[in-house]
């Protein structure tokens, strides 16, 4: 079989927390760096624009009813979120088009008065190929994001291959995984805030189960990035430069093997060449939507639409 090589890049970097305009500038800069490495596909982490709300797990008063600081912080996050369509989405599209890459980035999406944890996929022509809203915000995240829907639970054709993706704990939703497996996914993007040990397990399991490549992207955040509205007490005397979100990005092959990474504790771009012909070779062993499935026993129906 003729090789089809796609160069994938996972960007592990810090956004400018709660600053949409400045984070878009940083998005352009890091995308340019990845494009300079001849990347076809560039992936940024969960809600990278304008930053993952790590304070939900760290601030002791984050969930207190009617907390004035939490309300002011939500308003600031709301004002710095992305509308689709809208000016910020147009800027992201322009970055993909300028650097001629398939670009995947996690954003806080604003729709009406609600926010969603959303994955945006742009083609190198600047067209939006998919918009997936996280189905179930996890635990404390429900203070910020509304529930998503099945409309974006799709695998889409891009110049980098057939591309799908899930966000964080969606990787432990078996039917969400199967919905993408059934669409013959070649490259899966796994967006996380930080890829801890069990998140590595989930990312590698997804690659093995789906017989696909996985680009797992984690972010970087420092204590100094935490917002003042919800003070977080220091832990063990840590300082402003200490990391509270430490990355863990990796690129994984269809047998569940690491191709590069995981890397923790630094801003970097992980790059790997993906031979899509490897998918057919590995499908001899397992194909959960084909020879290793039982459609006469199991049926999956996905409700789509916003």
């Amino acid at each position: 079989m003729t090789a089809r090589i796609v160069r994938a890049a996972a960007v592990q970097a810090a956004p400018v927390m709660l600053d949409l305009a400045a984070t878009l500038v940083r998005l352009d800069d890091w995308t340019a760096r990845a494009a300079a490495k001849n990347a076809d596909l560039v992936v940024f982490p969960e809600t990278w624009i304008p930053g993952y709300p790590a304070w939900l797990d760290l601030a002791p008063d984050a969930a207190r009813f009617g907390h004035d600081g939490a309300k002011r912080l939500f308003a600031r996050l709301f004002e710095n979120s992305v509308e689709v369509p809208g000016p910020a989405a147009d800027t992201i599209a322009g970055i993909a088009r300028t650097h001629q890459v398939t670009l995947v980035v996690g954003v806080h999406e604003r729709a009406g008065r609600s926010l969603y944890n959303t994955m945006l996929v742009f083609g190198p022509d600047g067209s939006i190929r998919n918009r997936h809203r996280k189905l179930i915000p996890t635990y404390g995240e429900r203070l910020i994001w509304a529930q998503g829907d099945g409309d974006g639970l799709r695998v889409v054709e891009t110049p980098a291959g057939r591309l799908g993706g899930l966000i964080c704990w969606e990787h432990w939703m078996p039917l969400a995984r199967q919905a993408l497996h059934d669409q013959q996914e070649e490259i899966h993007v796994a967006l996380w805030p930080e890829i801890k040990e069990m998140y590595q397990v989930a990312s590698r399991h997804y690659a093995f189960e789906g017989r696909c490549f996985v680009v797992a992207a984690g972010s970087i955040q420092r204590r100094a990035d935490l917002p003042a509205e919800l003070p977080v007490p220091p832990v063990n005397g840590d300082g402003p430069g200490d990391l509270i979100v430490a990355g863990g990005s990796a690129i994984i092959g269809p047998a569940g093997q690491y191709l590069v990474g995981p890397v923790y504790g630094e801003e970097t771009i992980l790059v790997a060449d993906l031979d899509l012909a490897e998918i057919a070779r590995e499908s001899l062993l397992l194909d959960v939507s084909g020879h290793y499935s039982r459609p006469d026993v199991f049926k999956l129906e996905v409700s789509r639409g916003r």
Side-chain angles (χ1 to χ4, degrees):
M1 179 177 291
T2 303
R4 292 174 55 208
I5 307 298
V6 173
R7 178 161 288 188
V11 176
Q12 179 168 291
V16 183
M17 183 61 63
L18 296 170
D19 189 327
L20 174 60
T23 298
L24 289 173
V25 171
R26 193 164 288 186
L27 178 76
D28 188 25
D29 176 58
W30 280 100
T31 303
R33 298 188 203 187
K37 297 177 182 290
N38 297 315
D40 305 298
L41 169 66
V42 182
V43 180
F44 287 80
E46 178 179 0
T47 57
W48 196 78
I49 301 175
Y52 182 80
W55 59 83
L56 290 171
D57 294 326
L58 299 173
D61 292 331
R64 199 178 78 204
F65 188 86
H67 188 283
D68 183 64
K71 290 191 288 186
R72 286 186 285 112
L73 180 53
F74 182 81
R76 184 149 68 105
L77 180 58
F78 186 87
E79 289 301 317
N80 283 274
S81 293
V82 176
E83 288 187 311
V84 184
D90 290 343
T91 297
I92 302 169
I95 291 169
R97 186 167 52 246
T98 296
H99 300 294
Q100 288 292 288
V101 296
T102 298
L103 179 60
V104 183
V105 60
V107 306
H108 293 265
E109 180 196 357
R110 182 172 74 227
R113 292 183 179 177
S114 292
L115 296 181
Y116 295 88
N117 181 334
T118 299
M119 174 192 302
L120 298 178
V121 180
F122 290 87
D125 59 354
S127 63
I128 187 164
R129 303 297 177 92
N130 198 24
R131 173 173 46 147
H132 169 58
R133 292 171 171 171
K134 188 176 184 179
L135 295 169
I136 300 285
T138 303
Y139 201 60
E141 294 176 351
R142 299 179 196 189
L143 291 169
I144 291 182
W145 298 311
Q147 291 189 352
D149 50 61
D151 187 75
L153 202 61
R154 303 176 186 273
V155 173
V156 295
E157 292 283 357
T158 76
R162 292 185 56 77
L163 185 73
L166 294 173
I167 304 168
C168 203
W169 278 40
E170 288 184 319
H171 290 88
W172 282 296
M173 299 179 73
L175 301 185
R177 297 199 311 266
Q178 190 64 44
L180 295 184
H181 297 334
D182 285 348
Q183 297 175 64
Q184 304 298 301
E185 196 176 24
E186 293 176 320
I187 301 175
H188 176 82
V189 289
L191 305 191
W192 305 89
E194 175 182 17
I195 313 177
K196 304 172 185 178
E197 180 185 6
M198 285 305 298
Y199 303 175
Q200 297 288 344
V201 171
S203 300
R204 295 183 68 189
H205 172 268
Y206 191 99
F208 184 90
E209 179 181 79
R211 302 281 102 174
C212 62
F213 292 92
V214 170
V215 181
S219 194
I220 294 288
Q221 281 188 40
R222 298 171 181 86
R223 170 165 283 277
D225 297 330
L226 288 170
E229 289 91 341
L230 280 171
V232 175
V235 178
N236 298 326
D238 56 356
D242 290 331
L243 295 182
I244 55 173
V245 176
S249 300
I251 301 177
I252 304 159
Q257 78 280 20
Y258 285 120
L259 302 180
V260 61
V263 175
Y264 291 92
E266 63 179 280
E267 292 191 311
T268 187
I269 300 174
L270 286 72
V271 176
D273 289 328
L274 315 183
D275 179 0
L276 301 188
E278 187 179 343
I279 293 171
R281 296 193 291 269
E282 292 299 332
S283 294
L284 170 67
L285 305 178
L286 179 66
D287 179 3
V288 296
S289 298
H291 66 74
Y292 216 86
S293 67
R294 286 294 303 273
D296 56 322
V297 178
F298 305 110
K299 296 188 186 301
L300 174 61
E301 178 180 325
V302 180
S303 297
R304 303 198 184 276
R306 293 285 174 216

